[in-house]
């Protein structure tokens, strides 16, 4: 009897756990237990490839003890603020974290030790392939199965405060500009050269 | 592909040709693997230069995931640039068609290609949504080369093989739209692996299509000939080819209702092909979470189907014409294009990656074959204004692409899947007008040829010239063409009417 009840209970329980087992982690199911701060001030503009961000993260001291027992890794990411997601479906925020495209740039990943509760930090130079946009920083805590279990971010729940901007590199070089112009001029000039040649040949006696 | 050696025939009274020819010196056979001057050489020059233009015009879409981040584009910016890329050619095609009628396809196409090459070079230095839109707009003008391709083939190949020649030249040119989806990510990857940053690598990659375009124009100018007997200018000077007036060419083109119907229907096979070239890579990348490289390969297979599908359309057109004449050509066009619409509807509705790829390939076959079939009909609509009719039809193709992208693929109003399904419905509706195309001497889809005794090929083509012009002998070209086009009556054609010097055609 007890065995049957246990079986039933575990079946029922597994129905709730199945989504997690099958990898569907919803952002709304995560607890905000991490404290994350980043060096850029609100509205600051950082230059891609030049400026640095110092991120600091750690467990929020007000949460109950043992909450972080499952945390194995912390990944800190650069995430798009809502204003940079407008009319850009490829940066959409979706509750299903597998499909979520809010945080596309990894800053750092560090293993987490629950025994050591001191905050960790990392200095990161904004990479040169980070596009021009408005950002905030978010850290996800992963368990041993590489599933998100908690998070923390530098902005509020509506992602409106404490946002900063990145000004990306253009990717252009003076050499490239010069080549473009030269080849273009050459194309047009050679066309007129051909015309002139045709005219000359037509004038020549057959 | 190497083209060596000079033209061996002299511009004398009776030039010798490698291929068998008719009374207009147009080839009656189409030998794909030959580069014999002037016919097959013209074929290879025209498809390669057109291919280069397609590669340039659609070089941006496969790299959009990188470009959209570099230039801070929104979905609306991308949609607008896509529309711009095909809208320029809508009117450029009409202009180029007229230019072909007046100056010859060689000069007309090479001029256009060299004048649009700067737009491709400048894509490398685009730095904002506006500059991106402008470079795509001006690059897109080069797609007008299509018209010169068809004009050139219609001038070089006779009625029996013109569908095949047109289909192969355009199809292999359209291949560029598919090939570029493979080439650009590959070139980008190579440049990035050498050490360039993402935002620089895509810019450098654009020099490849630009250079290819420039070099192909040079090849056309150096190795090509407008007509089997020579180039326009020398022929006009020698009096062998009369110079026509723009106003007359224009008038006889735009007053021919068949040109307008074909312009509309071409908008819904070729226009759809252009639209898909613009949206399909991003569609697969975003919907199925694929890597850039993978999305590019899948997107490429749509355009690459052109290697067989469009020539097949031309072949089918010529094959049904043998038995059923022009009526067969019209029926085949209607059936194939409508089926294309059906498969487009299905494409928007399938959910899995595998099924999507399969349906897309089937859809591409029907869509592109319909393009080939259209240009099996176009050469017969007008002789005097062949270039303009080709230009109108071609321009209609681009307008179809503009309209379709504006209605279904701009901004975030419809999801891409829904847009594709609705596009399929529009294809079916806009293909229907083919039922109204009627040639008095050959009939239409539902009516046979006119029972009036004056309904002949001569009557139809010579109606484009007035008495004055006929007195001057300007209509001789049309007369020869009318005689050669008698094969459009189908299997019932009188064997006595076939010119003595015409050899039976052989298909490759």
């Amino acid at each position: 009897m007890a065995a049957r009840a246990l079986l039933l209970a575990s079946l029922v329980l597994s129905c709730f756990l199945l989504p997690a087992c099958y990898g569907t982690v919803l952002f709304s199911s995560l607890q905000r237990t991490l404290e994350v701060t980043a060096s850029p001030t609100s509205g600051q503009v950082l230059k891609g490839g030049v400026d640095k961000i110092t991120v600091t993260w750690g467990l929020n001291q007000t949460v109950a003890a043992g909450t972080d027992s499952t945390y194995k890794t912390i990944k800190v990411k650069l995430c798009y603020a809502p204003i940079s997601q407008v009319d850009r479906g490829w940066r959409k925020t979706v509750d299903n974290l597998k499909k979520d495209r809010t945080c596309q740039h990894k800053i750092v990943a560090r293993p987490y030790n629950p025994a050591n509760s001191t905050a960790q930090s990392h200095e990161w130079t904004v990479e040169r392939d980070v596009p021009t946009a408005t950002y905030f920083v978010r850290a996800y805590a992963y368990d041993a199965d590489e599933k998100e279990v908690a998070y923390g971010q530098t902005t509020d729940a509506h992602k409106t405060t404490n946002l900063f901007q990145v000004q990306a590199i253009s990717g252009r070089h003076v050499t490239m500009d010069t080549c473009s112009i030269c080849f273009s001029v050459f194309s047009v000039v050679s066309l007129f050269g051909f015309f002139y040649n045709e005219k000359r040949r037509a004038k020549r006696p057959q | 592909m190497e083209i060596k050696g000079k033209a061996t025939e002299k511009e004398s009274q009776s030039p010798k040709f490698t291929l068998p020819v008719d009374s207009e010196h147009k080839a009656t056979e189409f030998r794909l693997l030959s580069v014999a001057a002037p016919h097959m050489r013209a074929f290879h020059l025209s498809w390669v230069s057109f291919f280069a233009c397609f590669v340039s015009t659609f070089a941006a879409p496969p790299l959009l995931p990188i470009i959209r981040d570099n230039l801070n584009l929104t979905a609306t910016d991308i949609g607008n640039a896509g529309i711009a890329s095909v809208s320029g050619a809508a009117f450029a095609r009409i202009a180029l068609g007229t230019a072909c009628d007046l100056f010859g396809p060689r000069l007309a196409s090479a001029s256009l290609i060299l004048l649009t090459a700067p737009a491709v070079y400048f894509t490398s230095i685009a730095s904002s949504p506006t500059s991106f839109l402008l470079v795509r707009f001006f690059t897109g003008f080069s797609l007008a080369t299509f018209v010169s391709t068809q004009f050139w083939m219609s001038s070089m190949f006779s009625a029996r093989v013109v569908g095949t020649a047109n289909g192969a030249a355009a199809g292999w040119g359209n291949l560029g739209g598919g090939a570029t989806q493979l080439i650009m990510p590959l070139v980008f990857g190579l440049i990035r692996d050498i050490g360039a940053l993402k935002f620089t690598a895509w810019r450098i990659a654009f020099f490849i299509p630009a250079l290819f375009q420039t070099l192909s124009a040079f090849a056309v100018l150096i190795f090509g000939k407008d007509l089997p007997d020579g180039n326009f200018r020398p022929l006009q000077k020698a009096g062998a080819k009369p110079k026509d007036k723009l106003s007359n060419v224009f008038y006889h083109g735009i007053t021919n209702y068949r040109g307008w119907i074909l312009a509309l229907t071409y908008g819904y096979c070729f226009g759809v092909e252009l639209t898909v070239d613009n949206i399909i890579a991003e569609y697969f990348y975003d919907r199925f979470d694929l890597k850039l490289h993978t999305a590019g390969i899948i997107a490429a297979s749509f355009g690459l189907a052109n290697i067989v599908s469009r020539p097949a359309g031309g072949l089918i057109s010529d094959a049904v014409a043998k038995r059923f004449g022009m009526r067969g050509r019209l029926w085949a066009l209607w059936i194939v294009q409508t089926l294309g619409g059906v498969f487009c509807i299905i494409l928007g509705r399938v959910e899995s990656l595998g099924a999507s790829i399969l349906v897309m390939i089937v859809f591409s076959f029907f869509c592109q074959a319909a393009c080939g079939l259209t240009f099996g009909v176009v050469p017969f609509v007008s002789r005097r204004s062949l270039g303009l009719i080709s230009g109108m039809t071609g321009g209609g193709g681009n307008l179809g692409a503009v309209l379709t992208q504006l209605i279904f693929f701009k901004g975030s109003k419809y999801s891409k899947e829904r847009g594709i399904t609705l596009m399929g419905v529009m294809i079916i509706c806009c293909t229907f007008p083919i039922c109204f195309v009627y040639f008095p001497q050959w009939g239409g889809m539902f009516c046979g040829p006119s029972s009036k005794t004056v309904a002949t090929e001569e009557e139809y083509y010579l109606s484009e010239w007035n008495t004055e012009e006929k007195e001057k002998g300007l209509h001789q070209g049309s007369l020869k063409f009318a005689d050669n086009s008698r094969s459009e009556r189908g299997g019932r054609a009188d064997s006595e009417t076939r010119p003595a010097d015409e050899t039976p055609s052989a298909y490759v």
Side-chain angles (χ1 to χ4, degrees):
Chain A
M1 197 66 198
R4 238 192 271 163
L6 192 64
L7 185 64
L8 193 65
S10 54
L11 268 171
V12 169
L13 210 65
S14 59
C15 285
F16 287 98
L17 291 175
L18 260 171
C21 289
Y22 275 79
T24 314
V25 183
L26 302 176
F27 183 72
S28 48
S29 69
L30 299 182
Q31 283 181 297
R32 188 176 172 164
T33 59
L34 300 175
E35 276 294 317
V36 186
T37 53
S39 55
T41 53
S42 178
Q44 187 180 350
V45 179
L46 302 166
K47 284 219 195 63
V50 173
D51 291 330
K52 299 191 202 323
I53 300 178
T54 308
V55 283
T56 313
W57 66 94
L59 188 70
N60 187 338
Q61 297 304 318
T62 58
V63 299
T67 320
D68 60 349
S69 52
T70 50
Y71 303 178
K72 283 283 174 294
T73 329
I74 305 284
K75 283 189 195 159
V76 187
K77 297 182 183 181
L78 195 64
C79 309
Y80 292 107
I83 193 170
S84 291
Q85 293 174 304
V86 170
D87 205 12
R88 291 178 176 91
W90 58 92
R91 293 179 185 168
K92 214 164 143 193
T93 297
V94 174
D95 207 22
N96 180 350
L97 283 174
K98 258 219 158 61
K99 300 211 161 130
D100 182 50
R101 297 249 168 281
T102 320
C103 304
Q104 292 184 21
H105 305 277
K106 197 176 94 170
I107 295 177
V108 69
R110 287 266 183 85
Y112 180 80
N113 187 355
N116 182 0
S117 62
T118 49
Q120 295 182 297
S121 75
H122 176 77
E123 192 187 53
W124 183 70
T125 311
V126 180
E127 271 164 27
R128 283 178 290 178
D129 63 357
V130 173
T132 301
T134 309
Y135 295 91
F136 63 94
V137 177
R138 181 183 285 170
Y140 284 107
Y142 290 80
D143 64 7
D145 294 321
E146 286 289 311
K147 300 254 168 14
E148 298 86 345
V149 286
Y151 79 100
Q153 59 192 26
T154 56
T155 183
D156 63 352
H158 296 289
K159 300 182 273 190
T160 51
T161 60
N162 205 19
L163 305 169
F164 58 93
Q165 285 162 29
V166 168
Q167 181 64 42
I169 59 159
S170 71
R172 285 169 60 175
H173 290 281
V174 177
T175 325
M176 203 189 301
D177 292 2
T178 320
C179 283
S180 285
I181 297 174
C182 287
F183 277 113
S184 302
V185 171
F186 172 67
S187 298
V188 179
V189 167
S190 59
L191 176 66
F192 289 109
F194 270 111
F195 280 160
Y196 176 69
N197 206 18
E198 290 269 309
K199 252 194 154 158
R200 256 192 345 152
R201 255 203 256 156
K203 283 211 180 95
R204 241 190 285 148
Q206 288 288 343
Chain B
M1 190 208 74
E2 297 247 80
I3 309 171
K4 283 210 172 93
K6 305 183 310 182
T8 49
E9 87 287 355
K10 298 187 195 99
E11 280 163 20
S12 58
Q13 289 294 84
S14 51
K16 287 201 175 61
F17 298 107
T18 318
L19 270 65
V21 294
D22 64 10
S23 62
E24 292 174 279
H25 291 163
K26 293 185 185 176
T28 53
E29 268 179 40
F30 180 73
R31 288 191 205 148
L32 202 58
L33 298 174
S34 154
V35 284
H39 308 98
M40 291 314 300
R41 186 171 294 184
F43 168 73
H44 289 294
L45 285 171
S46 66
W47 83 257
V48 170
S49 57
F50 185 40
F51 178 93
C53 295
F54 245 97
V55 169
S56 304
T57 307
F58 294 102
L63 295 183
L64 267 173
I66 315 291
I67 300 176
R68 65 192 181 192
D69 277 344
N70 193 184
L71 302 182
N72 206 12
L73 305 174
T74 60
T76 308
D77 292 329
I78 294 173
N80 287 339
I83 293 168
S85 69
V86 293
S87 53
F91 298 101
R93 283 178 165 205
I94 299 175
L96 198 73
T98 318
C100 284
D101 283 324
L102 300 173
F103 306 115
R106 191 178 139 261
L107 281 179
S109 66
S111 305
L112 180 69
I113 296 173
L114 282 174
L115 290 173
T116 49
V120 193
Y121 289 115
F122 285 141
T123 311
S124 300
I125 57 180
S127 55
S128 66
T130 313
S131 54
F132 182 65
L133 184 128
L134 283 172
V135 290
R136 281 212 78 189
F137 177 65
F138 287 111
T139 307
F141 273 68
S142 65
L143 285 188
T145 331
F146 164 74
V147 177
S148 55
T149 308
Q150 302 295 282
F151 184 97
W152 211 354
M153 294 301 97
S154 302
S155 309
M156 286 284 180
F157 293 91
S158 73
R160 298 177 162 278
V161 287
V162 76
T164 311
N166 273 343
W172 287 16
N174 284 16
L175 258 184
T180 196
Q181 317 261 7
L182 276 176
I183 296 172
M184 295 306 285
L186 211 70
V187 172
F188 164 77
L190 260 160
I191 297 174
R192 198 198 38 194
D193 291 342
I194 289 176
L197 298 165
K198 261 173 35 178
F199 290 170
T200 304
W202 77 263
R203 296 170 181 280
I204 300 176
F206 264 84
F207 275 87
I208 305 295
L211 283 166
F212 182 25
Q213 200 175 311
T214 312
L215 292 172
S216 67
F218 289 170
V220 166
L221 283 170
I222 298 171
F223 299 111
K225 272 202 184 348
D226 291 312
L227 294 166
D229 295 327
N231 287 323
F232 264 41
R233 229 160 177 220
L235 286 177
Q236 281 165 350
K237 270 193 144 59
K241 181 180 174 2
K243 228 175 158 183
D244 208 346
K245 265 169 65 183
L246 171 64
S247 49
N248 290 327
V249 164
F250 204 68
Y251 175 76
H252 289 290
I254 62 172
T255 52
N256 195 327
Y257 77 93
R258 300 166 195 85
W260 292 101
I261 293 183
L262 288 173
L264 171 66
T265 61
Y266 197 59
Y268 283 88
C269 54
F270 183 65
V272 163
E273 185 185 333
L274 289 182
T275 303
V276 174
D277 277 338
N278 260 336
I279 60 142
I280 200 78
E282 250 192 312
Y283 171 71
F284 277 103
Y285 181 88
D286 289 331
R287 186 169 192 208
F288 298 105
D289 275 329
L290 303 172
K291 287 206 281 278
L292 193 72
H293 190 56
T294 318
I297 294 174
I298 298 173
S301 54
F302 177 81
L304 289 177
N306 262 302
I307 197 171
V308 288
S309 53
R310 188 159 177 157
L315 264 170
I316 293 171
S317 191
D318 287 338
V320 294
K322 261 177 93 173
R323 177 74 182 84
F324 300 107
M326 177 54 69
R327 294 185 74 184
R329 291 191 196 261
L330 292 168
W331 268 104
L333 172 57
W334 183 80
I335 291 173
V336 169
Q337 190 159 321
T338 305
L339 279 172
V342 169
F343 283 105
C344 188
I345 294 175
I346 298 176
L347 177 64
R349 302 194 68 104
V350 289
E351 302 272 319
S352 73
L353 177 62
S356 282
I357 296 175
L358 192 67
V359 175
M360 184 194 71
I361 291 176
V362 176
F363 163 55
S364 73
F365 179 83
F366 283 96
C367 174
Q368 291 156 7
C371 297
L373 280 153
T374 308
F375 276 83
V377 175
V378 165
F380 300 99
V381 171
S382 163
R383 184 65 195 88
R384 186 172 192 177
S385 312
L386 170 64
L388 182 60
I389 296 284
S390 301
M392 276 165 67
T393 309
N398 279 64
L399 275 175
V402 171
L403 209 65
T404 311
Q405 283 176 94
L406 257 174
I407 301 174
F408 303 124
F409 298 106
K410 188 176 134 118
S412 314
K413 183 169 175 210
Y414 295 109
S415 68
K416 285 219 166 46
E417 308 86 86
R418 186 130 179 81
I420 291 173
T421 304
L422 292 172
M423 180 166 72
V425 174
M426 198 154 181
I427 294 173
I428 297 177
C429 296
C430 293
T431 305
F432 188 68
I434 294 176
C435 302
F436 301 120
V437 175
Y438 179 76
F439 290 90
Q441 70 275 32
W442 299 318
M445 268 171 77
F446 298 110
C447 311
S450 171
S451 48
K452 288 193 285 182
T453 45
V454 285
T456 61
E457 288 79 1
E458 279 80 6
E459 153 81 13
Y460 180 79
Y461 291 110
L462 293 184
S463 64
E464 296 181 315
W465 303 91
N466 62 31
T467 336
E468 230 184 84
E469 290 162 337
K470 282 187 204 166
E471 276 173 17
K472 289 197 208 152
L474 298 175
H475 65 298
Q476 292 299 329
S478 291
L479 203 59
K480 280 192 198 159
F481 182 75
D483 199 35
N484 289 322
S485 70
R486 225 176 299 279
S487 52
E488 293 309 303
R489 292 189 181 187
R492 300 174 288 107
D494 222 346
S495 52
E496 285 138 43
T497 62
R498 203 173 289 163
D501 61 343
E502 215 174 78
T503 52
S505 58
Y507 292 106
V508 180

